[in-house]
Amino acid sequence: FAPKLLQGQSILLTAGPTREAIDPVRYISNHSSGKMGFALAKMAAAMGANVTLVAGPVHLPTPAGVTRLDVESTQDMLNAVMQNVDNNKIFIGCAAVADYRIGEVAEDKIKKSAQNMQLALVRNPDILATVASHKPRPFTVGFAAETQDVEHYAKDKLIRKKLDMIAANDVSNPELGFNAEQNALKVIWADGQHDLPATDKLILARQLLTLIAEHVALLQDD
Ligand code: C5P
């Protein structure tokens, strides 16, 4: 059951990992399954929102009614997001974005030779922080996957990245978070917070989107 709390709202989301090429056949990436972001996209559409999902490489079906843009690298994801940001009132950054990319991607497949080799990495742009500093900015929600001091690091991220809200999860528990069917979130905003205990990602998506809908409605009343 999903009340249409997001009727008339437009939501842009990122989900899944990003993939950074090393050469034409190799890449670095991470274990993000995209399940939480796809659950959010599916539930947001069920709650009446117009949903655009920018997805890294994942094996998940596109939820009904959702516009999906497939990307690989962080730079591709940033471009897709910035092309769509002005048409959306809410942004949720759920992707596990690669913090670094390969400095110089080899044009040809790298041949093995020496016993040791080094890859020089350079920092990727921060998609979430870029959206949060864009004008006019959408209501901007980030995720924080932490293994310790979850609340402390999440609050720091909320302030540092100038977010409206952050959903933090403890990924040290293998039953929850990455690739799991269930998750638990601590949702934090400037003057409040709310714990969403462990449950299916789709139910959690509805609870998080309800919190977002309440905050966006409050802003619109101002
Ligand atoms: O700082 P950290 O990477 O832990 O923050 C996680 C949040 O930032 C997530 O919402 C993630 O989608 C977003 N992020 C991003 N671009 C990056 C790194 C993280 O949008 N380059």
Side-chain angles (χ1 to χ4, degrees), residues 5 15 19 25 43 53 64 69 71 104 111 136 170-171 183 187:
L5 293 178
R19 199 178 262 185
V25 298
M43 189 50 74
L53 174 62
L69 305 170
V71 297
E104 273 181 55
K111 295 290 181 196
D170 183 345
V171 287
N183 201 358
V187 186

Side-chain angles (χ1 to χ4, degrees), residues 34-116:
K35 283 176 189 161
M36 189 67 227
F38 274 62
L40 281 164
K42 181 178 181 170
M43 189 50 74
M47 290 168 77
N50 195 333
V51 182
T52 305
L53 174 62
V54 180
V58 292
H59 298 283
L60 291 172
T62 308
V66 168
T67 303
R68 174 176 181 170
L69 305 170
D70 283 314
V71 297
E72 293 230 337
S73 69
T74 300
Q75 192 60 55
D76 293 344
M77 186 174 273
L78 177 66
N79 292 343
V81 165
M82 296 319 285
Q83 272 166 23
N84 286 280
V85 72
D86 287 327
N87 297 327
N88 286 276
K89 288 271 165 55
I90 299 168
F91 175 76
I92 309 176
C94 200
V97 182
D99 291 320
Y100 292 87
R101 67 176 180 277
I102 310 298
E104 273 181 55
V105 179
E107 260 180 57
D108 294 306
K109 186 180 169 193
I110 299 170
K111 295 290 181 196
K112 57 178 166 293
S113 52
Q115 279 303 323
N116 298 300

Side-chain angles (χ1 to χ4, degrees), residues 14 16 74 77 91-100 123-130 141-146 157 160-161 163 166-167:
T14 64
T74 300
M77 186 174 273
F91 175 76
I92 309 176
C94 200
V97 182
D99 291 320
Y100 292 87
R123 275 291 286 271
N124 265 330
D126 192 304
I127 300 170
L128 191 57
T130 308
V141 183
F143 270 73
E146 306 290 351
K157 226 164 268 186
R160 192 162 34 82
K161 299 197 188 201
L163 309 178
I166 192 152

